[in-house]
Amino acid sequence: MTHTLDVPGSVDLGIGKRARVRSDGIDIAVFNIDGQIYAIDDSCPHSGASLLFGKLEGRFVRCPAHGLSFDLATGCMRGGGMNVRAYPVEVVDERIRITLPQPITRHQ
């Protein structure tokens, strides 16, 4: 099961921009690389550092803490190893929509 997160229109994601959005307690880093929108977890799996302000190298983002590099399209680390979650993104009527897994509800 999945659900969709509509990125608020107030978030500026013009070409070359990036932003953080939050859904169900998860921070998601959203990038506009040459008009293509990418969304990944905003937490490096190695140290938890924010990837939002990492150095961009094409469609790869380099973690500012230890230099690990992740593909924005797949979430895969360059050279293999750890990955971050990458989310499907679509633009509908100029609105950015991110498909997220359905949150797990815990029964008490």
Side-chain angles (χ1 to χ4, degrees), residues 66-78:
H66 295 101
L68 300 177
S69 187
F70 299 94
D71 186 329
L72 295 173
T74 65
C76 294
M77 186 176 86
R78 189 176 294 195

Side-chain angles (χ1 to χ4, degrees), residues 27-40:
D27 287 326
I28 300 167
V30 185
F31 299 83
N32 182 337
I33 308 297
D34 296 326
Q36 180 69 43
I37 307 295
Y38 300 98
I40 61 171

